Amino acid sequence: AAALDGCEASLAVKAKAERIEAERIDVTLPGRSSTSGALHPVQQGLDEMTAIFSQMGFAVAEGPEIENEFHNFDALNIPPEHPARAMHDTFFVKEFAEGEQSEPMLLRTHTSPVQIRAMKRFLEEGHEPPLAVVAPGRVYRCDYDVTHSPMFHQVEVFKVDRDVSMAHLKGVLKHFLSTYFEKEVDIRLRPHYFPFTEPSAEVDIGCVFCAGKGCRICKGSGWIEVLGSGMIHPNVLRSVGIDAEAFSGFAFGLGVERLVMLKKGIPDLRLFFENDVRFLRRMGS
Ligand code: DAH
């Protein structure tokens, strides 16, 4: 019996030694690193831009991507036969029948309809201007080449109050663009036409690549067009029932992909939508 006990004990010791050997770990081996994902560069841009306007006191608003003609066109002073409708390359979707009524629906061609929705909601809640809104979102146009994608993103910004002037517009633009590009940028307002603003202006920034000297990106002009803007047309204010004699407003709308391309030096719009993981890795901050 003693011999049996001794044998059992030595087997146990041996088994333990074997287990220790088998479970030995080399603590000097490098750890297994986990890779973390990052927000898509367009989402990063949207977040950054929205945050700059929030900090300036603009309230964030959103609207539907499937719109009706009233919000996308009519209320924005673009009546049915207006040539601007044709310029919008609109995707129409099947009419939605709601009870007896059915009306043509479309994929919104810009974020400007959120101006109408936000103003209406604000008035329905019983408020009076001032009203300052930033509206980021997806928009759609039947267009596809190096600089156009059928789906892209815009940020719409507007303010309505007594005595709002173009000076306010220019001040907000200068602050926004200098904050976004993390340096003092020059801006220039060039007369333009939009149906929903009067007067209207396209906004250029001093070329961020050559500092205005003239290069390939700015086509030698030293300036790059970045957005459309203006003073909200009285008809737009009237379409929601705001007294256009007492109140005025500024508005602008910018293309998110375009600004992100300029800030990060991205040469081709299509890179955003191909989802090549090498591009996404490089852009994920
Ligand atoms: N909605 C215009 C577009 O997509 C951009 C725009 C221009 C918006 C002028 C505005 C504005 O609010 O005032 O082409």
Side-chain angles (χ1 to χ4, degrees):
L4 199 62
D5 283 348
C7 202
E8 233 171 53
S10 79
L11 276 174
V13 167
K14 201 167 155 229
K16 191 169 181 189
E18 269 167 14
R19 215 175 72 227
I20 286 170
E21 187 56 35
E23 291 177 5
R24 182 192 295 279
I25 53 170
D26 181 354
V27 294
T28 67
L29 281 175
R32 250 180 237 130
S33 65
S34 58
T35 50
S36 58
L39 292 178
H40 190 279
V42 170
Q43 187 62 47
Q44 286 179 37
L46 273 169
D47 291 350
E48 257 175 68
M49 293 174 204
T50 307
I52 296 170
F53 291 112
S54 297
Q55 278 156 16
M56 279 194 265
F58 290 81
V60 182
E62 281 182 314
E65 290 171 25
I66 300 174
E67 263 296 5
N68 60 12
E69 296 189 299
F70 174 77
H71 291 94
N72 200 80
F73 293 125
D74 300 81
L76 290 163
N77 200 33
I78 314 175
E81 302 308 324
H82 199 288
R85 285 213 184 190
M87 283 160 51
H88 274 239
D89 302 308
T90 312
F91 283 113
F92 285 90
V93 296
K94 219 165 134 51
E95 300 193 4
F96 280 97
E98 229 174 77
E100 297 284 275
Q101 276 149 359
S102 93
E103 64 168 318
M105 298 297 280
L106 48 85
L107 299 182
R108 68 179 178 191
T109 56
H110 50 178
T111 43
S112 302
V114 189
Q115 286 187 32
I116 307 301
R117 291 189 175 273
M119 286 194 275
K120 278 205 298 197
R121 197 177 312 144
F122 181 79
L123 296 171
E124 276 160 21
E125 286 166 357
H127 305 296
E128 277 248 309
L131 160 66
V133 169
V134 53
R138 263 194 284 273
V139 300
Y140 302 84
R141 289 187 201 177
C142 190
D143 212 349
Y144 186 55
D145 61 36
V146 195
T147 52
H148 296 91
S149 151
M151 185 283 295
F152 60 105
H153 298 76
Q154 289 188 336
V155 171
E156 189 83 13
V157 177
F158 73 96
K159 170 164 181 156
V160 178
D161 197 356
R162 290 177 201 279
D163 304 319
V164 173
S165 78
M166 244 155 140
H168 298 114
L169 168 66
K170 195 168 179 188
V172 168
L173 286 171
K174 172 108 179 151
H175 176 77
F176 164 68
L177 291 165
S178 294
T179 309
Y180 180 68
F181 285 103
E182 297 171 22
K183 62 180 170 206
E184 194 69 21
V185 294
D186 290 328
I187 70 168
R188 165 173 100 167
L189 272 66
R190 231 177 337 96
H192 196 72
Y193 171 78
F194 296 106
F196 29 87
T197 43
E198 181 57 37
S200 305
E202 275 193 326
V203 178
D204 298 340
I205 56 172
C207 181
V208 286
F209 295 101
C210 65
K213 286 199 275 293
C215 65
R216 198 172 52 82
I217 308 286
C218 61
K219 301 193 188 85
S221 74
W223 295 94
I224 300 178
E225 185 227 312
V226 290
L227 56 89
S229 70
M231 301 304 294
I232 301 177
H233 197 292
N235 286 349
V236 174
L237 297 176
R238 281 186 210 115
S239 77
V240 296
I242 290 179
D243 180 353
E245 298 294 323
F247 297 103
S248 56
F250 69 71
F252 56 93
L254 59 86
V256 175
E257 283 81 357
R258 181 164 171 73
L259 280 192
V260 175
M261 285 169 77
L262 289 174
K263 180 167 174 175
K264 309 252 182 178
I266 297 166
D268 187 336
L269 176 74
R270 290 173 288 200
L271 283 164
F272 286 126
F273 306 112
E274 281 166 357
N275 288 329
D276 183 326
V277 78
R278 291 166 301 184
F279 169 74
L280 297 176
R281 280 214 183 101
R282 222 156 68 78
M283 289 297 140
S285 53

